[in-house]
Each structure stands twice: as C-alpha cells, then as structure tokens.
C-alpha cells in the first residue's frame, strides 16, 4: 500500500504515513500560466494506493483529483481509495427548489467512476443513510470525529451540556454525548440565506451551564453564532464550540467569537488554527481494517 498526497497536504500525510508505517509520496503540481495544471506522480505505483485529498475549496480541487486518480490507474494502481477527510457537496442532497442539481448524488456518481473506496469523516448525510448509497457500486466509509470531540469536551468540561445547533447535527451530538456521558439537546434552525440563520434553543435549562455547541461543519459561522447568542441570552455560563470541519470562511471565526464563544475546538480534518483533536489514529485504523485490500483482488473486473 502507498499513500499519495497533494503537496499542500503534507503535514497530515506525514503523520498518517508514520502511523501506518506506509511509504508516501506527493502529487507534484505545476500550474501553467493559463490555469491548467501538470501533475506528476511516482512513476511506478503499487497495486493498493490511497489518495489523500480533503475537498474544502472543492471546485478548485476536483479536476486535479480526477486527473490524479486516472494517472494513478495508468501507473499501476489496481485498487484506488480516496481518503477525503472533508467530502464536499454532501449538503445538497435533494432539489430544494425545482431545477436544482442534486450535487451529492452526482458528485458521488462521479467519484464512483474513478475510486474503488471513498473514506471520509462526518459527511453531511441527512436524507441519505449511508455513504455507500452516495457511491453507486463502490464502498463508502463514513468515520466520525464526534466521539473524539466529545472526549475532549468531557476532559476539559466534564459537566458540559452538548448542544446541536440544528436537527441535522443531532446524530453527532448524540454520538459524542453517549460515548462520554454528557448531557445533550438539539436546537431548531431556520436558514433564510447564506448568512441569515435563526436558531431556537431546546426546552432544557441552560442557565449556569457550560454549553458546548457541536456541529459537523462551520462554514460562514452564522449557525454557531446564532446558537451561541441564544445560549448566552438564556443564561449559559459559557459557550464553546467543537466542530469536525473548521472551514470558517471569511469573517466566520470573528463572527463566532463576537457572539461570545470562548474556545473553538476542531478536528484536523481541515487544517485550521483551532485544530485540537487529531483524526490521524481514526484514519489509520480505518485504512488497516480487513476490507482494505492488502493483495490484488484477481476477481476484479
Ligand atoms: C448544516 O446543517 C450544517 O450542519 C452546519 O450547521 C452548517 O452547514 C453551518 O453553516 P454555517 O457555518 O454557514 O452557518
């Protein structure tokens, strides 16, 4: 097995390769003046290859990813895994208005044409139960950083109340709370636009409590900011944030802090100054499980 990583993912790749004791190499890129990219892979690849590529800023990365995957096949990869700690385009899982393209379904179908397996962390699966359903005919593995974030919260704030800022985050909050014996509850959210969000607190007492908002992704930060303002207005002693994917676009972090959030803890799925919890052991364990190929599958067509 060999790990391949794009040149801007070297820190995570190095830690992961160390944990796995696997060889690793970078996908070298040259950007031509016209915006095209020349990619260079190791000239001979083993049968089993894992391509590490987080898909934050997805539009800029997808073309290179598809080219690298096709190149890896030509250079010897018989079984190709995409390891994408953040898998983009998972939120558009239905046509919310007539004519909308269901990006989750179509990106999944596209990835299924080039990868045998896709592994990710806390994909935003809401109306779809499993990642396998997103990848027709291929293997999808959705890991979760929620129990790791829960462990961190339980260690620093053993009496915290974990709050999901919306119904979709209930799955992660429940997993984190149950694993570590924390109280939890779920808010209700109404989104009116990219930056306009209302969050209603659940009917539980937050007065005097150390509240931790736990979500899969912070993008504009407006969801977390609205929930934090609500919790503080209801008398929470403190509000901290734990997220798997710290996208924090533009002024998002400033907005969250301005809403009164004290600490932001995130996993290292997306590199960010708030990274506190590492998913490297989780990823390494998944890559060493028996369903990952260790020898060529001669029956593969
Ligand atoms: C949506 O349901 C997700 O779980 C997040 O709550 C949402 O994507 C966060 O977006 P933003 O940071 O832009 O409010």
């Amino acid at each position: 097995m060999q790990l391949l990583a794009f040149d801007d993912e070297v820190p995570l790749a190095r830690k992961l390769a160390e944990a796995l004791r696997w060889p690793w190499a970078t996908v070298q890129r040259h950007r031509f003046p016209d915006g095209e990219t020349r990619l260079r892979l190791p000239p001979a690849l083993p049968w089993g290859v894992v391509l590490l590529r987080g898909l934050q800023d997805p539009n800029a990365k997808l073309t290179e990813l598809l080219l690298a995957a096709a190149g890896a096949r030509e250079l010897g990869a018989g079984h190709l895994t995409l390891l994408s700690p953040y898998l983009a385009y998972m939120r558009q899982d239905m046509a919310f208005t007539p004519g909308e393209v269901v990006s989750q379904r179509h990106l999944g179908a596209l990835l299924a044409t080039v990868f045998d397996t896709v592994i990710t962390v806390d994909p935003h699966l809401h109306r779809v139960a499993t990642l396998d359903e997103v990848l027709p005919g291929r293997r999808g593995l959705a890991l979760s950083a929620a129990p790791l974030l829960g462990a961190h919260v339980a260690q620093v704030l053993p009496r915290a109340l974990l709050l999901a800022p919306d119904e979709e985050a209930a799955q992660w909050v429940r997993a984190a709370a149950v694993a570590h014996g924390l109280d939890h509850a779920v808010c209700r959210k109404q989104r009116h636009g990219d930056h306009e969000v209302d969050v209603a607190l659940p009917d539980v007492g937050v007065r005097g409590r150390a509240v931790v908002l736990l979500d899969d992704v912070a993008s504009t930060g407006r969801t977390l900011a609205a929930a934090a303002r609500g919790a503080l207005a209801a008398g929470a002693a403190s509000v901290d944030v734990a997220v798997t994917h710290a996208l924090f676009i533009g002024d998002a972090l400033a907005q969250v802090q301005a809403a009164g959030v004290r600490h932001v803890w995130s996993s290292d799925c997306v590199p960010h100054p708030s990274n506190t919890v590492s998913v490297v052991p989780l990823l390494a364990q998944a890559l060493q499980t028996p369903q990952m190929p260790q020898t060529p599958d001669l029956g593969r067509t």
Side-chain angles (χ1 to χ4, degrees), residues 1 22 50 79 81 117 119 286-295:
M1 297 294 289
W22 283 7
V50 174
H79 189 283
T81 297
T117 303
I119 301 177
L287 288 168
Q288 285 170 322
T289 55
Q291 83 262 8
M292 290 301 293
Q294 307 300 325
T295 53

Side-chain angles (χ1 to χ4, degrees), residues 268-289:
D268 55 358
C269 284
V270 176
H272 187 265
S274 62
N275 290 170
T276 312
V277 164
S278 180
V279 293
V280 166
L282 186 72
L283 301 180
Q285 190 186 16
L287 288 168
Q288 285 170 322
T289 55

Side-chain angles (χ1 to χ4, degrees), residues 32-64:
F32 291 110
D34 59 8
E36 294 183 3
T37 308
R38 181 187 64 213
L39 301 172
R40 190 168 286 146
L41 307 179
L45 289 170
W47 189 83
V49 171
V50 174
L51 187 52
L52 171 68
R53 194 47 160 161
L55 285 175
Q56 57 278 16
D57 195 11
N59 295 354
K61 292 179 175 175
L62 277 167
T63 308
E64 290 178 0

Side-chain angles (χ1 to χ4, degrees), residues 91 124 166 168 189 191 215-223:
R91 280 177 285 182
H124 194 91
D166 55 32
E168 294 169 11
K189 177 167 88 176
R191 185 178 282 283
D215 208 351
D216 59 332
V217 54
S219 179
T220 68
R222 283 359 185 234
T223 298

Side-chain angles (χ1 to χ4, degrees), residues 11-50:
L12 186 61
R14 186 175 287 129
K15 284 187 218 155
L16 187 56
E18 266 173 30
L20 290 161
R21 297 170 191 260
W22 283 7
W24 70 284
T26 53
V27 178
Q28 290 172 12
R29 293 183 292 178
H30 172 76
R31 180 64 65 96
F32 291 110
D34 59 8
E36 294 183 3
T37 308
R38 181 187 64 213
L39 301 172
R40 190 168 286 146
L41 307 179
L45 289 170
W47 189 83
V49 171
V50 174

Side-chain angles (χ1 to χ4, degrees), residues 90-248:
M90 291 295 107
R91 280 177 285 182
Q92 185 81 33
D93 60 357
M94 63 174 277
F96 295 94
T97 56
E100 272 181 18
V101 174
V102 184
S103 312
Q104 182 196 75
R105 185 188 309 149
H106 301 301
L107 182 69
L110 189 61
L111 294 177
T113 63
V114 285
F115 292 101
D116 297 284
T117 303
V118 175
I119 301 177
T120 188
V121 183
D122 291 334
H124 194 91
L125 301 181
H126 180 45
R127 276 157 283 259
V128 168
T130 67
L131 194 58
D132 280 336
E133 291 172 56
V134 181
L135 299 158
R138 301 295 194 177
R139 172 105 176 94
L141 184 58
L143 308 173
S144 182
L148 298 174
L149 292 167
H152 179 74
V153 171
Q155 192 189 345
V156 296
L157 293 170
R159 297 171 62 80
L161 169 66
L162 285 188
L163 272 189
D166 55 32
E167 289 89 343
E168 294 169 11
Q171 54 183 307
W172 297 293
V173 164
R174 202 176 303 117
V178 167
H180 302 287
L182 297 165
D183 293 342
H184 69 285
V186 181
C187 303
R188 270 173 295 113
K189 177 167 88 176
Q190 261 199 308
R191 185 178 282 283
H192 307 288
D194 290 342
H195 296 84
E196 294 80 36
V197 173
D198 288 328
V199 173
L201 287 202
D203 201 12
V204 294
V206 300
R207 181 163 298 282
R209 302 285 312 258
V211 168
V212 178
L213 302 168
L214 191 144
D215 208 351
D216 59 332
V217 54
S219 179
T220 68
R222 283 359 185 234
T223 298
L224 293 171
R229 278 193 295 271
L232 288 169
S238 61
V239 178
D240 300 304
V241 157
V243 288
T244 300
H245 305 295
L247 299 183
F248 287 111

